[in-house]
Amino acid sequence: MSIPASLPLRNDLKGEEPYGAPQLDVPVCLNVNENPYPPAPDVVDTIAERVRQIAPTLNRYPDREHMALRRAFSDYLAKESDTRLDPEQIWAANGSNEIMLQLFQAFGGPGRKALGFAPTYSMYPEYARDTFTQWVTVPRNEDFTLDVDAAIAAINEVRPAMVLVTSPNNPTGTPLPMDQTKRLLAACEQASVDGADEGVHPILVVDEAYVEFRTPGVPSAVTLIDEHPNLAVSRTMSKAFAYAGARVGYIAADRGIVDAMRIVRMPYHLSAVTQAAALAALEHTDEQLSTVAHLRETREATAAWLKGLTYKGRPLTVAHSESNFVYFGLFDDRDFIFNELLRRGVLIRDVGPDGWLRVCMGTDEEMATFRAAFAEVLALAEKEA
């Protein structure tokens, strides 16, 4: 990337690179946490029919409040999380990335702070940068669980406008138990906010991008929304719903939070085509989520397999995951492991603390290729030692 020095680029953006995992033409891509199984033919037919129906209206702007889609998400959450929310408590956007950016635009800004828990999703500091919000992190425990006491202490000391916690966490897959969510909420409801009026309290944002992969029966933070007006729960259709290319995310929250996001949203931000495609997928919820149980089983099998391996005489460490990926290490030279896998046509992700790698669950054939390639690379690492 080359930006001429003569351009008036913002000073804080000088030297920055665009965010994004590598997009490489390799046989096995297991680096961006996609669902590897495409929509079924009847789902594709419904998508095409929905888009065909609205195509003659594309000379007009779409419903900027996307009420039909919000009602559909309300129905989905009632089924998936056993919680019925009003459509006005739901807001959709172009992926959960835009949802998060709107939250930072509405509640962050100069003089405001956002608090997170590292390692976590690497886009959070970029949302903060883009909105001139100060990004502050508290380290997680060694096993990547949340140090709740340290988190509460930081909430009171930092006085952030937003507290962001990902469950399951990315890149580690670590879930946030409900009792810990409630403790964070209680702390936020008592804390003050730097740069805000007296009586203003932080919002807790629970990012549930991977929540459908959790252990069945575990409740979602969505169940707490009606009792906690400072809670926002972000979701996406990109992962379990196998809809990454459609770019649809949404948030469930108190109506006050949704209305704040409506202030900063761009006019007609969600196209008629996007709304139609999302509604089509929601018509086929069971089919779209039909591979989740198998991917969960694949995750458990992959984690068990990795735990049985050694690297330079040491057993691999595998983080507990409730997502569709597994985080594992520790490697003296993770770049060597990453690049040797890539040479064998397998792309995974080198993300988070040094020494750790993340692999997304693919098809059975892709995972077999990963295992064979990784075994070869480990053997090669032993020779190089």
Side-chain angles (χ1 to χ4, degrees):
M1 188 178 75
S2 177
I3 299 176
S6 59
L7 291 177
L9 183 68
R10 274 172 32 191
N11 290 336
D12 62 313
L13 297 181
K14 291 179 179 177
E16 294 284 340
E17 293 287 334
Y19 172 86
Q23 287 188 312
L24 303 177
D25 185 15
V26 296
V28 179
C29 290
L30 303 174
N31 69 324
V32 288
N33 305 337
E34 298 159 325
N35 187 322
Y37 299 103
D42 58 334
V43 182
V44 173
D45 290 342
T46 302
I47 295 169
E49 177 58 23
R50 278 276 191 172
V51 173
R52 189 199 66 78
Q53 289 173 3
I54 60 96
T57 72
L58 290 180
N59 60 311
R60 303 295 186 185
Y61 286 114
D63 174 11
R64 62 177 171 237
E65 298 297 324
H66 50 277
M67 291 307 302
L69 182 55
R70 292 159 80 179
R71 286 190 291 270
F73 278 131
S74 176
D75 291 340
Y76 171 68
L77 290 175
K79 180 180 179 181
E80 194 275 337
S81 296
D82 196 27
T83 300
R84 170 62 70 179
L85 299 175
D86 292 335
E88 289 79 11
Q89 292 177 284
I90 297 170
W91 183 249
N94 295 284
S96 58
N97 297 113
E98 187 177 30
I99 289 290
M100 285 293 175
L101 183 59
Q102 289 176 350
L103 284 168
F104 273 81
Q105 289 173 319
F107 298 104
R112 296 289 182 87
K113 302 170 187 174
L115 178 68
F117 307 98
T120 192
Y121 184 36
S122 54
M123 269 299 295
Y124 293 154
E126 300 207 15
Y127 303 136
R129 178 201 67 193
D130 293 347
T131 57
F132 303 98
T133 306
Q134 184 180 346
W135 175 245
V136 182
T137 58
V138 173
R140 289 174 172 265
N141 294 319
E142 188 174 345
D143 63 355
F144 303 123
T145 57
L146 201 65
D147 185 336
V148 182
D149 290 335
I152 292 172
I155 290 169
N156 291 317
E157 179 182 350
V158 174
R159 302 171 67 203
M162 292 188 294
V163 178
L164 285 89
V165 62
T166 312
S167 181
N169 186 46
N170 181 9
T172 65
T174 316
L176 181 71
M178 186 63 72
D179 63 321
Q180 295 186 7
T181 303
K182 291 178 178 178
R183 289 185 64 193
L184 293 178
L185 273 169
C188 287
E189 289 165 353
Q190 297 298 318
S192 55
V193 174
D194 259 2
D197 295 336
E198 186 176 349
V200 172
H201 307 293
I203 65 169
L204 177 67
V205 181
V206 181
D207 187 345
E208 291 190 342
Y210 302 93
V211 74
E212 283 93 349
F213 295 104
R214 70 192 184 280
T215 299
V218 173
S220 159
V222 167
T223 60
L224 303 175
I225 286 172
D226 279 337
E227 301 171 13
H228 298 279
N230 280 38
L231 171 64
V233 182
S234 174
R235 294 279 191 106
T236 184
M237 298 184 78
S238 295
K239 309 303 181 181
F241 249 92
Y243 232 43
R247 308 307 302 127
V248 183
Y250 61 106
I251 196 163
D254 182 79
R255 183 168 180 168
I257 291 177
V258 171
D259 284 347
M261 297 172 69
R262 290 171 63 230
I263 292 173
V264 299
R265 62 104 171 96
M266 296 297 288
Y268 311 106
H269 72 291
L270 206 58
S271 79
V273 173
T274 299
Q275 294 181 45
L279 286 166
L282 288 165
E283 285 183 38
H284 295 271
T285 293
D286 291 342
E287 287 172 88
Q288 289 297 94
L289 297 178
S290 63
T291 59
V292 167
H294 180 65
L295 289 169
R296 195 184 294 123
E297 293 169 359
T298 303
R299 176 194 72 207
E300 293 302 304
T302 301
W305 180 77
L306 287 168
K307 287 177 182 177
L309 301 178
T310 60
Y311 170 74
K312 297 185 178 180
R314 304 187 303 272
L316 289 181
T317 300
V318 182
H320 171 63
S321 175
E322 293 276 304
S323 187
N324 67 330
F325 52 80
V326 175
Y327 202 53
F328 61 102
L330 289 159
F331 302 102
D332 298 335
D333 185 357
R334 74 172 174 185
D335 290 343
F336 174 84
I337 304 295
F338 176 88
N339 288 323
E340 287 298 324
L341 282 172
L342 188 58
R343 286 184 57 216
R344 291 162 175 78
V346 178
L347 177 63
I348 63 172
R349 190 77 190 273
D350 51 345
V351 64
D354 191 28
W356 291 85
L357 293 166
R358 188 190 72 195
V359 60
C360 170
M361 300 302 99
T363 64
D364 293 345
E365 294 77 13
E366 288 172 334
M367 297 311 295
T369 302
F370 163 74
R371 290 192 298 272
F374 187 60
E376 284 185 12
V377 173
L378 282 185
L380 183 60
E382 292 289 348
K383 293 181 181 179
E384 295 287 328

